[in-house]
Amino acid sequence: MCPNTKSKNLFLPSHCTKQPYMSISTKYNPKETEDKWYQYWLEKKFFRSVPDEREPYTIVIPPPNVTGVLHMGHMLNNTIQDVLIRRARMMGKNACWVAGTDHASIATEAKVVALLKEKGIEKKDLSREEFLKYAWEWKDKYGGIILKQLEKLGASCDWDRTKFTMDKPLSEAVLDTFVHLHKKGLIYRGVRMVNWDPKGKTAVSDEEVIRKEVNQKLYYIKYFVSYQADSTSTFSTLASGEGGGEALVIATTRPETIMADAAICINPGDERYRHLKGKQVYIPLVNRAIPIIEDDYVEMEFGTGCLKVTPAHDLNDYELGLRHSLPVIDILNDDGTLNEKAGILVGEDRFIARKKIAKLLEEAGQLEKVEDYKSQVGFSERTDAAIEPKLSMQWFCKMEEMAKPALEYVLNGEIKLIPDKIINTYRHWMENVKDWCISRQLWWGQQIPAWYLPTGQYVVAKTRQEAFALATDLTPDTSSLTPDQLKQDEDVVDTWFSSWLWPISVFDPTVCGNPDAKGNADLNYYYPTNDLVTAPEILFFWVARMIMAGHEFRGKLPFKNVYLTGIVRDKLGRKMSKSLGNSPDPIELIENYGADGVRVGMLLCSPAGNDLMFDESYCEQGRNFANKIWNAFRLVKGWEIDEKLDYTNSVAVEWYESRFNEALLEIESHFAQYRLSEALMATYKLVWDDFCAWYLEAVKPAYQQPIDKKTLEATINFFERILALLHPFMPFLTEELWHDELFGSRTDLDCCVVAAYPSLGNVNERLLKDFGAVKQIISEIRNIRNSKQISPKEALPVAIKANSDTQYNNYSGIITKLAVLSEITFASEKLEGAAAFIVGRDEFFVPLSGNIDADAERERITKEIDYLSGFLKSVNAKLSNERFVQNAKPEIIANERNKKADAEAKIVMLEQSLNLL
RNA sequence: GGGAGAUUAGCUCAGCUGGUUCAGAGCAUCUGCCUUACAAGCAGAGGGUCACUGGUUCGAACCCAGUAUCUCCCACCA
């Protein structure tokens, strides 16, 4: 049974329908409908999708972080997906929206570590297994929150398919992928300079580093020059800064790394330092001698033209060091504190060490000056810690080969990026792609399937047994090797190394790592998916890599369209963030405005492809719209049929039929271009303006009067189509109304959520045009009434001097009703002493008893004549311009001639009116 | 430093192939209305040098060049 018939009916029994508006609330109350219908939809399995003969329409959700709670970005993103999926479902497609969450290794591990710390447990005191047990407990407890929140929004996901990126099969897919790519030579291990996150204590990929401009200090430090050419010198006098020894001054933002210096570098062409070639300098404070080297890399103009080379702590310096065979002295611990190699300030955090060392240098007289300086510093995307370049052994995935087809899909249009302006950026990235550092020094995630032999060699295999088999091939002395001796790599893979498989692994994880596998029925049916809706920020992290994985493992693209939403900002244009506290709580918004109101609000302010400046007032507008529909329903609900009444509303009914189809066409076109905001606005106007303000006002009977059967039936039919059209945007309200007895009795499964989307019908252009004139006439009369302060209750007579072939007889009923007229007459001459206006080529007169202000009227008409004369002049100028007549398209010229004729006719009419005054 | 995009009403944005769908929409504002569906409403109105300067064209919000401002992406100047 439908909730509406089961529960206490909102509406009164039929014997009370005389004044139903008195008994139904004048406001739509979302709280009474939302949970009720969501549960009903679940119960009836309307969101469930299994392969069948229908065309599939598939979306995989960008899996939200399992630690996350719903924020405004999710709201926008998932509203869009739900609109698309609901619409596809109603259009008869087999709509499948796969939900799930991402294990987000760094973020989740950080959260669990913090939580344990509160309980007094340190991660380092736990074994890997113990830690993971805590992590899973935590995930089981809180991991579902965000999905529950999505239900509140109305998300019509097939929850039976919900996946988690660390589900066993999906994790196995990750391992298979690793093994496969390693076998192919696309994954390798090596010592490289990586981005080290000292807070997360792990390496992160280039994409996870966010560069921000930071106000820093540029320290100018004196390094004294040794008199001897080699390092055997003693330096007692120099080291103390006495004795007038020559000093080189270098500029650095990182004085705390001077203890790791391996050389000072100058430009070979730099005259200032030519005499120092081959000499050495002493590092201040620690007095270690380092050579002066030359390299073109150094800019003579920057700073002093001398560069301190610190291979362990700077990528460029590292490369410089490689060229000049410099030693790498790493003075930092994994957590960013100084280690013993620093010699001084051991155990201090790098930023504290920076301040202290500046002080020490100053005291030693080796700090020449300090300048303010702005520069870009990398921060970890997940922990916001300043990234430390660090030399370490990591696993990498080669990108160049995989990037090529992934770029091709986008360039040849097989995958459409919306908006397409982003293609340039995508191309640039794909053409300059660097290898992907995929290892993370964490526990929460898929452990890298690499196994180390006691010899230091390693093999890559999914299981210990398989690894052992491979290992025995490596070792000559197999008898001494046991499986237990293999030690698995401690690291896990980057989270994105699992989520890049998402569009495949949610259907059939077994094909990852096995491109030749046929794949199961689900995969073959749903893949490639249709639309991906995500944020532009993760275009490279995720979207590009999914395309790579899709090509690698399926030989096919993973989705056809990528809709990139904007960033949700506040009214002032600031990105919404927890730290700024400028983000409203989405659940609270739903409480206040209803899910439908919030959905409409989100979409109203989200122009395709642009950031959106969110403001609660949009939700208010959405709520008001829901209320408007609710009240339109109350009106129609209250009408009683009188079978004896004649059908007098055919014009209004036919007009709305045409208008509906016209709007539908427009809406389709907006959807085809993913202009959801405009599709919604077109729907909004179709309902509010055309249906409520014009159609219903035109057909509604006088108070407590019955209506004829045909009009009511047509109205109900329109209403039902409107509900279907609105459903993807406002699922709850439409479902609620759908089940009212007004629309007849419905079976349990006859729900709006699975109703047929309205189909296109005929558009009567002539009727639409005529009705446009009718609206204009009514507005003009209302305007006259308004400006003359005539009560809306006072019926006015109107005379029409028709000069066109418009059949006003057909429309006199509507005009009379909506403009509140006493009579309409047709005149062959102008009326004197009447308020006059022109619509098209026809003249209209409203006789007013002594109310005409001749002067004002004269002024108004003169003004209009002036305007039209100017207009005519410009048209005439065009038409008398030979080059225009020669070059312009014929239809443009014809149009100009029409304009000319219209303007001339109008001027004549106005001049006559002027004379009459 | 390199690249991409933007600038239209108070706000958020449409404006497609240059030409009456060309200056639009929604919200906000103002005026008048508690008119028996809705005041979370109804009716009506005002509001723009299309960033600026040139150019191309019979004709420019639209094409071109330059300027200004803003946004985003990429990049190793210590």
Side-chain angles (χ1 to χ4, degrees), chain A residues 298-420:
Chain A
V298 177
E299 298 281 335
M300 292 188 277
E301 290 74 32
F302 188 88
T304 59
C306 295
L307 170 72
K308 76 189 218 27
V309 185
T310 320
H313 301 293
D314 185 280
L315 180 59
N316 299 302
D317 289 12
Y318 174 66
E319 279 160 12
L320 206 51
L322 285 181
R323 285 204 287 279
H324 296 271
S325 311
L326 297 173
V328 175
I329 306 155
D330 187 345
I331 60 160
L332 289 178
N333 292 314
D334 286 352
D335 61 357
T337 56
L338 271 59
N339 64 25
E340 325 69 56
K341 287 197 196 122
I344 53 173
L345 300 171
V346 174
E348 294 279 10
D349 178 79
R350 54 196 165 141
F351 295 113
I352 294 165
R354 181 175 303 172
K355 289 197 181 110
K356 290 197 171 170
I357 215 144
K359 202 161 171 243
L360 291 174
L361 286 167
E362 197 172 6
E363 285 163 7
Q366 285 182 272
L367 186 61
E368 194 177 80
K369 60 174 172 178
V370 181
E371 283 177 355
D372 286 326
Y373 184 69
K374 270 188 187 156
S375 74
Q376 300 280 328
V377 177
F379 291 87
S380 168
E381 206 243 343
R382 296 285 190 187
T383 67
D384 206 36
I387 289 295
E388 195 63 54
K390 185 183 171 75
L391 202 60
S392 64
M393 177 70 88
Q394 302 287 346
W395 291 92
F396 294 87
C397 185
K398 283 190 195 167
M399 289 278 102
E400 208 185 334
E401 211 177 294
M402 283 198 270
K404 279 179 194 153
L407 175 59
E408 193 50 33
Y409 281 125
V410 170
L411 290 186
N412 69 19
E414 281 184 78
I415 294 179
K416 269 207 301 227
L417 301 185
I418 300 142
D420 59 6

Side-chain angles (χ1 to χ4, degrees), chain A residues 90-154:
Chain A
M90 294 173 77
M91 291 178 112
K93 295 186 184 158
N94 188 346
C96 180
W97 186 9
V98 182
T101 45
D102 188 291
H103 67 278
S105 57
I106 299 186
T108 308
E109 180 151 333
K111 224 164 220 187
V112 175
V113 166
L115 212 80
L116 289 174
K117 202 164 200 161
E118 274 176 31
K119 289 196 207 163
I121 306 171
E122 291 288 329
K123 182 188 165 191
K124 62 175 168 40
D125 298 331
L126 295 174
S127 71
R128 187 179 192 119
E129 286 66 34
E130 285 167 335
F131 176 82
L132 287 178
K133 202 170 147 257
Y134 281 117
W136 276 106
E137 269 172 20
W138 189 84
K139 183 259 164 190
D140 291 339
K141 199 162 169 195
Y142 301 107
I145 292 179
I146 195 158
L147 298 183
K148 279 280 158 219
Q149 290 182 317
L150 283 180
E151 294 187 4
K152 290 254 172 259
L153 183 66

Side-chain angles (χ1 to χ4, degrees), chain A residues 766 769-771 773-774 777 800 802-811 815 826 839-842 844:
Chain A
R766 175 67 204 238
K769 191 171 161 276
D770 283 357
F771 206 87
V774 168
I777 293 160
I800 304 177
N803 305 316
S804 73
D805 61 349
T806 308
Q807 297 301 303
Y808 287 106
N809 266 328
N810 294 343
Y811 305 105
I815 298 173
F826 289 88
V839 170
R841 290 193 183 185
D842 304 318
F844 298 80

Side-chain angles (χ1 to χ4, degrees), chain A residues 25-28 626-636:
Chain A
S25 159
T26 61
K27 308 271 187 286
Y28 164 61
N627 204 42
K628 184 71 190 176
I629 299 161
W630 178 258
N631 279 294
F633 170 79
R634 286 178 63 221
L635 174 68
V636 178

Side-chain angles (χ1 to χ4, degrees), chain A residues 354-579:
Chain A
R354 181 175 303 172
K355 289 197 181 110
K356 290 197 171 170
I357 215 144
K359 202 161 171 243
L360 291 174
L361 286 167
E362 197 172 6
E363 285 163 7
Q366 285 182 272
L367 186 61
E368 194 177 80
K369 60 174 172 178
V370 181
E371 283 177 355
D372 286 326
Y373 184 69
K374 270 188 187 156
S375 74
Q376 300 280 328
V377 177
F379 291 87
S380 168
E381 206 243 343
R382 296 285 190 187
T383 67
D384 206 36
I387 289 295
E388 195 63 54
K390 185 183 171 75
L391 202 60
S392 64
M393 177 70 88
Q394 302 287 346
W395 291 92
F396 294 87
C397 185
K398 283 190 195 167
M399 289 278 102
E400 208 185 334
E401 211 177 294
M402 283 198 270
K404 279 179 194 153
L407 175 59
E408 193 50 33
Y409 281 125
V410 170
L411 290 186
N412 69 19
E414 281 184 78
I415 294 179
K416 269 207 301 227
L417 301 185
I418 300 142
D420 59 6
K421 65 181 177 190
I422 204 110
I423 290 178
N424 282 327
T425 317
Y426 180 83
R427 190 215 324 252
H428 182 262
W429 192 78
M430 294 303 263
E431 283 173 350
N432 297 283
V433 68
K434 286 196 213 121
D435 286 355
W436 173 16
C437 175
I438 53 171
S439 43
R440 297 288 181 275
Q441 288 64 52
L442 302 165
W443 285 343
W444 180 244
Q446 291 90 7
Q447 194 171 356
I448 288 177
W451 309 81
Y452 298 93
L453 281 66
T455 57
Q457 294 163 291
Y458 68 86
V459 291
V460 170
K462 193 171 171 187
T463 63
R464 185 176 291 274
Q465 283 67 35
E466 286 167 29
F468 181 65
L470 289 174
T472 51
D473 294 342
L474 279 182
T475 332
D477 183 12
T478 45
S479 57
S480 67
L481 188 70
T482 65
D484 290 344
Q485 283 175 309
L486 292 176
K487 198 170 168 315
Q488 189 176 0
D489 197 302
E490 289 283 314
D491 294 353
V492 298
V493 289
D494 181 8
T495 304
W496 300 103
F497 196 81
S498 63
S499 39
W500 73 330
L501 305 173
W502 187 247
I504 303 173
S505 62
V506 294
F507 297 115
D508 185 355
T510 66
V511 301
C512 299
N514 188 1
D516 300 325
K518 258 185 71 191
N520 64 14
D522 273 5
L523 184 68
N524 289 313
Y525 182 72
Y526 293 114
Y527 188 95
T529 68
N530 294 71
D531 297 336
L532 178 81
V533 180
T534 192
E537 302 141 24
I538 54 175
L539 184 62
F540 306 126
F541 274 111
W542 191 45
V543 179
R545 287 172 184 157
M546 278 192 287
I547 300 174
M548 292 180 194
H551 182 78
E552 180 68 25
F553 297 118
R554 288 284 86 195
K556 269 193 231 167
L557 37 79
F559 29 70
K560 290 157 204 149
N561 302 293
V562 181
Y563 180 99
L564 297 156
T565 64
I567 295 166
V568 184
R569 299 175 179 279
D570 67 9
K571 233 175 153 177
L572 304 170
R574 298 173 308 177
K575 200 169 163 172
M576 286 195 169
S577 72
K578 243 190 236 167
S579 51

